[in-house]
Amino acid sequence: MNKNKKGVIIFTFFCVLIAVSGYLGWSYADYVPRKEVSTEEIDKNTVLVGGMPVGIYMETDGVLVLDTQSIKGVDGREYEPAHNLVKAGDYIVGINETVVENKKGLVKSLENLDTEDVILKLRRDTEILDVKLEAVECGQKEYKLGIWIRDNVQGLGTVTFLTGNSEFGALGHGIHDSDTSILMDIADGRLYKTSIRSVLKGENGVPGSMEGLIVYNDYNRLGTITKNTEAGIYGTVEEIDALFKEQIPIEVASKEEIEVGSAVIRCFMDGRVQEYDVQITDVDYHSKEINKGIVLQVTDPELLDKTGGIIQGMSGSPIIQNGKLVGAVTHVFVNDPSRGYGIFAQTMLEQLR
């Protein structure tokens, strides 16, 4: 993500998520093909398996503060109106008794100021605070607060599964702000079709990536994102047939069923979803991080040749062992892209219950 710090009052950033935390794929190794079924036939422990890339767009719940800075007033002096009052990770939810939902609304409120006195309503963790500060006049009727902000995030990732209630799980890890590392609070989010244009192979110290074209319009919309958690993003798919062209049911394994040994991952490569061989090398039932219970290594020669292993954009790719969905890829080892972490599928499914 590139942060464009221009000399304007407040800034928005478009974080190209291409999740720096995990990815995957698969090729049909010792996998018994399943008949296609409708979502109505799926029980609570059976899902439709994913592996398809999707475009992701989410709007923050309030306006996320990234940082504060000094600004020059009309008198030529430097001011820091928000310093030590507003903190990175705060969400601006109001200004002078006016509700603020996004950057556009905040800028409009500043344009309509008739006094330098400003009361910002902030959400800081679980608290709501009123903070008084003085806006800086930088031109005739032009006021600035000296705050860098973000109000949305966009990029691509991989869908892991779909339940019988048309609810999906994806990514396997949360979407964090790239500047503050804070899990982003979202008010709204959507899934979109994406067209993968290129794959950059990973090398030691430099993760590879999957690059796609995403057109954010109603025609390409697939579903709605309602939750952003440390265990992934979740919501509802409205265009099931468009996303799940192959509707393959699979049972979700309990984490106790996972074994060290052979498995496959399912991801999009060369224009289609395929399976690739991996080895699960460790299973930690009590991992301190919810999305790092599985350690795996890509062993498939074809995938290693094309990607070097796990690349950005594969986050959420299903991990399958003994005919069951056991997890999803979440992170890559930066110094060894053939290795990475995964989250238990059971953990992801529990987020919807």
Side-chain angles (χ1 to χ4, degrees):
M1 181 197 80
N2 295 320
K3 186 195 300 181
N4 300 315
K5 290 193 174 183
K6 300 180 180 178
V8 294
I9 182 168
I10 297 182
F11 306 77
T12 187
F13 299 82
F14 297 92
C15 169
V16 180
L17 170 289
I18 305 177
V20 164
S21 310
Y23 336 91
L24 188 75
W26 43 323
S27 68
Y28 283 73
D30 300 322
Y31 181 67
V32 179
R34 298 171 175 81
K35 67 175 183 177
E36 295 189 6
V37 298
S38 69
T39 54
E40 282 121 7
E41 296 172 339
I42 303 174
D43 66 34
K44 65 179 182 178
N45 289 316
T46 302
V47 296
L48 296 183
V49 69
M52 301 77 70
V54 289
I56 298 168
Y57 177 84
M58 301 194 314
E59 297 174 354
T60 58
D61 183 11
V63 179
L64 176 63
V65 175
L66 304 178
D67 203 354
T68 63
Q69 69 159 150
S70 63
I71 49 179
K72 184 179 290 187
V74 290
D75 58 5
R77 298 173 60 185
E78 293 287 330
Y79 296 89
E80 293 184 274
H83 183 62
N84 286 335
L85 295 173
V86 179
K87 299 180 179 181
D90 288 346
Y91 285 86
I92 301 172
V93 296
I95 179 171
N96 292 346
E97 303 302 324
T98 299
V99 174
V100 169
E101 296 180 344
N102 51 39
K103 178 220 175 201
K104 183 178 179 180
L106 183 55
V107 170
K108 184 176 181 180
S109 294
L110 288 168
E111 290 174 347
N112 295 329
L113 281 182
D114 53 12
T115 176
E116 293 179 354
D117 293 331
V118 170
I119 297 178
L120 288 181
K121 187 175 292 293
L122 306 175
R123 185 175 68 251
R124 181 174 296 165
D125 298 324
T126 58
E127 290 186 273
I128 299 296
L129 308 172
D130 286 335
V131 175
K132 184 176 181 180
L133 51 82
E134 290 187 5
V136 176
E137 188 173 6
C138 300
Q140 187 174 9
K141 293 292 185 178
E142 180 187 1
Y143 294 95
K144 296 182 180 181
L145 299 177
I147 303 174
W148 300 100
I149 64 166
R150 173 175 295 127
D151 66 356
N152 64 60
V153 60
Q154 55 188 307
L156 63 85
T158 299
V159 171
T160 308
F161 62 77
L162 183 77
T163 72
N165 294 324
S166 300
E167 295 176 307
F168 74 86
L171 296 185
H173 62 76
I175 298 174
H176 293 74
D177 173 66
S178 59
D179 294 286
T180 64
S181 298
I182 292 173
L183 183 71
M184 299 181 75
D185 294 340
I186 67 166
D188 183 37
R190 296 175 288 280
L191 290 184
Y192 292 92
K193 297 176 185 176
T194 183
S195 175
I196 302 301
R197 296 301 178 91
S198 63
V199 171
L200 178 64
K201 187 174 181 178
E203 299 177 358
N204 289 354
V206 183
S209 63
M210 185 184 298
E211 298 180 0
L213 175 65
I214 307 166
V215 179
Y216 297 99
N217 60 26
D218 288 343
Y219 177 78
N220 288 299
R221 179 169 170 167
L222 295 168
T224 302
I225 303 168
T226 57
K227 294 174 66 175
N228 177 36
T229 76
E230 293 290 2
I233 62 172
Y234 301 87
T236 304
V237 174
E238 287 109 34
E239 301 296 332
I240 295 175
D241 291 338
L243 180 58
F244 286 80
K245 292 183 173 64
E246 286 186 289
Q247 297 189 3
I248 303 172
I250 189 170
E251 185 179 349
V252 176
S254 66
K255 59 184 180 181
E256 289 78 16
E257 294 180 77
I258 307 171
E259 305 170 343
V260 170
S262 299
V264 295
I265 58 174
R266 179 176 168 91
C267 68
F268 187 87
M269 198 63 55
D270 294 333
R272 61 194 179 98
V273 177
Q274 303 182 63
E275 291 181 356
Y276 297 95
D277 293 329
V278 300
Q279 282 285 317
I280 295 176
T281 59
D282 190 26
V283 182
D284 184 356
Y285 301 129
H286 307 291
S287 173
K288 292 181 180 179
E289 297 184 65
I290 193 172
N291 47 40
K292 292 185 177 180
I294 299 172
V295 180
L296 70 154
Q297 183 161 19
V298 176
T299 58
D300 195 288
E302 183 180 355
L303 189 60
L304 289 170
D305 180 62
K306 292 177 179 177
T307 67
I310 297 169
I311 61 174
Q312 297 175 4
M314 286 184 180
S315 293
S317 298
I319 305 170
I320 298 173
Q321 186 180 63
N322 298 325
K324 294 185 179 182
L325 178 64
V326 299
V329 174
T330 57
H331 298 75
V332 61
F333 286 19
V334 175
N335 293 324
D336 183 0
S338 72
R339 302 176 66 211
Y341 288 109
I343 185 173
F344 300 127
Q346 176 186 342
T347 301
M348 290 186 70
L349 192 59
E350 287 170 354
Q351 302 297 311
L352 293 172
R353 293 177 177 169

